[in-house]
Amino acid sequence: MMRKIWPWLRLLVAVVILAVLVWRLGTGAFVAGLRVIDTPAIVAALAIGLLTTVLSAWRWCLVARKLDLPLGLGTAVSDYYQALLLNAVLPAGVVGDVNRAVSHGRESGNVGRGVRAVLLERLAGQVVLLVIGVVVLLADPGLVSAVVPARDILIAVGIVLAAAVAIAGWKRWGPSAGRRAVATALADGRLGLLSRDTWPVVALLSAATIAGHVAMFVVAARAAGLTAPVGQLLPLMVLALVVMGLPINIGGWGPREGFSALAFGAAGLGATPGLTTAVVYGVLTLVASLPGALVLLLRRVRVQDSKLSRYWAKASTRLASRSLPFAAVARDGRPITPDSV
């Protein structure tokens, strides 16, 4: 029951957040978020997107190779771009990651380990982001009460959701299967992520990727007309990135916009500029993922060419099998012999 309800529940929560924002702030912030984007912002988004995608793909390569799964950086970058595009345009927000995990697992001959490699790679990025978020909050404890007035409610909701996921997994796999899955995941985690020669590089790549996302947020804020110092914007943007990790969004939209409006308003920068910044950031991330469309197109053309080649090969084989072995034609009772005889 929980598996059936959860996809619709997460979409409903995101829709409710966006609806409340429209009700309280109107549609002007959303329209402005589309109108203020100019060519320099688009160029910056593509450049930052290239950097963050390469860094994330590199992190994926390190984890996958530690799990004995072959993965080249070029292939990883292409797959990552494709995943980013699918995540941005499809409601669930994780379809692209699921697709690259399963595809790489099939190509490598181990789907389970391929999926765990992607999970570990994404988990590493989220853990580093949470650590940075905690550092930001410790540096300014008053920021919590200012931007999250309902923190107790959020904590309670988080605990309920975590318990629901745990119960659903326990009922689906059962005690023994659940223990085996956890044991396998922990073993792969120690091997692929926590080895001495891997985790420092993975942590550094994750931190650099987060810096790229923050830079994208700064570009969005400047495009939205915010002139506040980067030092004032930085804590709000880091926390917005943390909130974006909540699995209650529509292609990334929902919690990011709600939190940005609340946080920027509490910081004295205005709720409407905060919402506009979040909208611009969402559009720029979509722009940054557009090379994934080229990857999809090229792969589609390659598949069609492969199918066409196989079709003509089969057609040629059928024609050859239907033709007579000799070119001579029997006439006047003479035996059929090759022309060369």
Side-chain angles (χ1 to χ4, degrees):
M1 178 67 71
M2 188 62 187
R3 289 202 309 271
K4 294 179 180 179
I5 295 176
W6 174 242
W8 298 103
L9 180 60
R10 58 187 292 181
L11 294 179
L12 178 62
V13 172
V15 169
V16 169
I17 292 174
L18 295 174
V20 170
L21 290 174
V22 172
W23 172 51
R24 297 296 300 272
L25 302 177
T27 59
F30 291 91
V31 175
L34 299 175
R35 188 175 60 246
V36 299
I37 297 175
D38 53 11
T39 301
I42 292 175
V43 173
L46 290 172
I48 295 172
L50 175 61
L51 175 63
T52 56
T53 302
V54 170
L55 292 174
S56 300
W58 187 1
R59 180 178 63 194
W60 182 25
C61 287
L62 291 177
V63 176
R65 290 170 185 171
K66 276 294 182 178
L67 297 180
D68 295 325
L69 299 175
L71 181 61
L73 182 59
T75 301
V77 171
S78 299
D79 288 351
Y80 224 103
Y81 261 124
Q82 178 177 297
L84 289 174
L85 179 65
L86 294 177
N87 288 344
V89 300
L90 296 177
V94 295
V95 176
D97 291 321
V98 173
N99 179 71
R100 69 182 171 96
V102 175
S103 298
H104 179 233
R106 287 175 177 172
E107 293 172 359
S108 304
N110 192 328
V111 175
R113 182 160 277 190
V115 172
R116 289 191 292 274
V118 171
L119 288 176
L120 291 172
E121 175 260 324
R122 291 302 302 269
L123 177 63
Q126 292 300 314
V127 169
V128 174
L129 177 59
L130 287 175
V131 170
I132 295 176
V134 170
V135 172
V136 167
L137 292 176
L138 291 178
D140 187 4
L143 189 62
V144 180
S145 56
V147 302
V148 192
R151 60 188 183 278
D152 295 334
I153 297 177
L154 293 178
I155 292 173
V157 171
I159 293 174
V160 171
L161 290 177
V165 171
I167 293 172
W170 189 265
K171 289 183 176 180
R172 178 177 181 179
W173 292 305
S176 59
R179 284 195 295 268
R180 288 196 300 270
V182 170
T184 302
L186 291 176
D188 282 346
R190 287 192 296 268
L191 178 63
L193 202 59
L194 300 180
S195 59
R196 292 182 179 180
D197 59 341
T198 302
W199 75 261
V201 182
V202 169
L204 182 61
L205 291 173
S206 300
T209 302
I210 294 167
H213 293 314
V214 172
M216 185 85 80
F217 240 125
V218 173
V219 172
R222 294 297 184 247
L226 284 174
T227 58
V230 175
Q232 183 180 2
L233 296 174
L234 184 62
L236 305 177
M237 293 174 175
V238 170
L239 294 179
L241 292 175
V242 173
V243 171
M244 283 174 58
L246 295 176
I248 47 173
N249 58 76
I250 305 175
W253 296 79
R256 175 184 60 216
E257 286 69 31
F259 177 82
S260 297
L262 176 65
F264 280 66
L269 300 175
T272 299
L275 176 56
T276 302
T277 298
V279 172
V280 175
Y281 178 86
V283 176
L284 291 181
T285 54
L286 176 60
V287 170
S289 70
L290 288 181
L294 180 60
V295 173
L296 283 171
L297 178 62
L298 292 177
R299 289 181 173 177
R300 181 66 176 175
V301 171
R302 192 180 303 122
V303 170
Q304 291 297 331
D305 289 343
S306 177
K307 290 181 178 179
L308 188 60
S309 298
R310 289 197 299 268
Y311 171 78
W312 284 115
K314 291 180 179 179
S316 300
T317 302
R318 286 196 298 267
L319 289 173
S321 64
R322 291 174 183 175
S323 62
L324 294 173
F326 303 117
V329 179
R331 292 188 183 93
D332 303 329
R334 292 180 295 173
I336 300 176
T337 58
D339 291 340
S340 60
V341 176

